[in-house]
Amino acid sequence: MTNSTTAEIMPFNFTPYEESKGEEYMNEAQKDHFRDILSNWKNDLMLEVDRTVDHMRDDAANYPDPNDRASQESEFSLELRTRDRERKLLKKINDALAMIDADSYGYCDSCGIEIGVRRLEARPTADQCIDCKTLDEIREKQMS
């Protein structure tokens, strides 16, 4: 069984972007930086999908013991749920890459201000500034 952890899901293997004084926000160097982060993250997720398929194909067995069968089914179910979450994440990554190409990446969908390089490095698929995201979470909490 492969253990999916946050480290496998988040793209932590990158060098933080060094901003220059007076540098324009979302210039070509920044776009390239985020394009690399997102592309590497996407490739890592795709490798994980391939590993899951190989694992499920290679380890699938019809165990005579019901407990062993139940354990295997539980393991496969957990892996499939994880891959489903990652499938949704892949869509967000593809959307973010398209936004980079359309010169709209890095700006809040709600208010239009800059999301910020550090926030985007922490969550490259972010489409809202921290203030708008916080307000959305408060509203969501109040509705539930």
Side-chain angles (χ1 to χ4, degrees):
M1 177 175 148
T2 57
N3 291 328
S4 292
T5 62
T6 304
E8 291 175 340
I9 296 172
M10 288 297 294
F12 289 116
N13 297 326
F14 66 88
T15 304
Y17 184 80
E18 294 292 329
E19 294 179 80
S20 303
K21 188 174 174 94
E23 182 177 15
E24 181 183 345
Y25 183 69
M26 274 307 130
N27 59 41
E28 284 306 312
Q30 289 178 6
K31 287 182 202 174
D32 289 343
H33 174 70
F34 288 109
R35 191 177 286 113
D36 288 345
I37 290 173
L38 289 160
S39 296
N40 289 336
W41 193 9
K42 179 179 176 178
N43 291 336
D44 289 347
L45 289 170
M46 294 305 294
L47 286 173
E48 195 63 31
V49 167
D50 292 342
R51 273 188 236 133
T52 297
V53 170
D54 291 343
H55 168 69
M56 291 180 82
R57 185 178 328 124
D58 294 344
D59 291 354
N62 190 5
Y63 293 109
D65 180 42
N67 290 326
D68 290 339
R69 252 191 334 268
S71 292
Q72 182 184 46
E73 287 175 19
S74 177
E75 174 187 331
F76 286 177
S77 177
L78 178 62
E79 282 191 49
L80 290 172
R81 280 196 311 267
T82 301
R83 294 299 89 73
D84 187 52
R85 283 193 301 273
E86 290 174 353
R87 178 187 57 79
K88 293 173 186 170
L89 180 56
L90 281 167
K91 182 186 179 328
K92 288 183 179 183
I93 291 170
N94 287 332
D95 291 347
L97 287 166
M99 289 173 71
I100 290 173
D101 293 338
D103 292 328
S104 59
Y105 181 76
Y107 297 92
C108 180
D109 284 351
S110 299
C111 69
I113 68 166
E114 298 172 358
I115 293 174
V117 171
R118 297 298 165 241
R119 173 158 165 70
L120 289 170
E121 284 180 335
R123 179 154 304 276
T125 58
D127 57 5
Q128 289 182 308
C129 66
I130 196 69
D131 293 336
C132 291
K133 184 64 177 174
T134 302
L135 287 173
D136 274 358
E137 289 173 356
I138 290 170
R139 278 187 219 111
E140 184 178 313
K141 197 175 200 180
Q142 289 174 344
M143 298 296 221
S144 59

